[in-house]
């Protein structure tokens, strides 16, 4: 009973933690650690919630969550009452929905990227001014990457080539290559699928927005390595002033919509304020603890 109760408390605690983390600004000072914390928190919520429901269903066997499964299988769930059966069905349903929606999100992204790659093959061209990059003859500002398993495509518009100077363009291309190299699209997938499962909850949308912003900041940090941070900062401001269209579905663009995210990125580029080493170490150490605690409670006999 104790383990089940703790899993339930942890599940509720992750909701409160997500609320606090979605409003936190210290994560902007160490975006990669912030991304890892979000991943650990999401994993912790899923395991703790499903584990609490399973623990409630398996209470008659008094062997914990995983320890009670063989007993339930052996007697064909004969000891389960109405409450326990409802909890078991809820656990199985939640697990199924989360997995199905994650697979749906993967299929949808793969389909959108395949369609967009086929379109790029028809309308894009190579340009010696930007080697390794596809150029689309469109007057608007656009810069994004199309991630892939074997190869990723970085795309810019003719309008972007006219809008940015050489240093700014190099910074934007480095930003997009950072997205592709670090596979930020895979980081977003679980949060995108979670929003599809719970579209009515504003907290889930705020979580996705927070992760998207941290991903952009992480790519900004890669892009400014070895070059003046002002190049990327001015490029972001030019993109914001040009009001670019949203990046195609399944891609990652350089400019997030909204004044606050853009200015937050510009300010941290021009006035970096790294997180102190003790705080960074504490945040990093919290990642495996948050992710591992519900797993420990699952296997603990109780």
């Amino acid at each position: 009973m104790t383990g089940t109760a703790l899993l339930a408390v942890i599940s509720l605690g992750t909701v409160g933690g997500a609320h606090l983390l979605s409003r936190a600004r210290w994560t902007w000072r160490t975006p990669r650690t912030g991304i890892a914390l979000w991943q650990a928190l999401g994993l912790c919520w899923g395991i703790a919630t499903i584990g609490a429901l399973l623990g409630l269903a398996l209470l008659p066997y008094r062997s914990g969550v995983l320890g009670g499964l063989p007993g339930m299988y052996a007697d064909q769930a004969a000891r389960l009452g109405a409450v326990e059966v409802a909890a078991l069905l809820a656990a199985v349903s939640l697990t199924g929905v989360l997995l199905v929606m994650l697979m749906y999100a993967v299929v949808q992204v793969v389909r959108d990227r395949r369609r967009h790659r086929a379109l790029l093959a028809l309308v894009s061209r190579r340009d010696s001014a930007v080697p390794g990059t596809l150029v689309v003859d469109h007057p608007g500002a656009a810069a994004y990457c199309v991630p892939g398993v074997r190869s990723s495509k970085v795309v810019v518009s003719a309008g972007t080539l006219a809008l940015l100077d050489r240093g700014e363009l190099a910074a934007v291309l480095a930003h997009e290559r950072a997205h592709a190299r670090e596979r930020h699209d895979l980081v977003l997938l679980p949060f995108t699928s979670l929003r599809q499962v719970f579209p009515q909850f504003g907290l889930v949308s705020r979580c996705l927005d927070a992760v998207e912003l941290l991903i952009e900041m992480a790519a900004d940090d890669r892009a400014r390595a070895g070059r003046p941070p002002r190049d990327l900062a001015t490029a972001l401001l030019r993109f914001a002033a040009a009001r670019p269209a949203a990046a195609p579905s399944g891609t990652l663009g350089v400019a997030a919509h909204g004044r606050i995210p853009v200015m937050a990125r510009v300010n941290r580029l021009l006035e970096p304020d790294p997180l102190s080493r003790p705080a960074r170490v504490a945040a990093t150490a919290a990642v495996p603890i948050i992710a591992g605690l519900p797993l420990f409670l699952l296997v603990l006999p109780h």
Side-chain angles (χ1 to χ4, degrees), residues 34 48 107 133 146 168 177 187 203 207 214 230 240 252 268 282 295:
V107 170
T133 303
V146 186
E168 293 166 348
R177 293 186 182 114
V187 175
L203 177 59
C207 293
L214 289 176
R230 185 171 294 275
L252 295 171
R268 68 184 298 275
L295 289 172

Side-chain angles (χ1 to χ4, degrees), residues 61 68-78:
Y61 298 94
L69 289 174
M72 184 184 68
Y73 178 78
D75 70 1
Q76 298 182 353

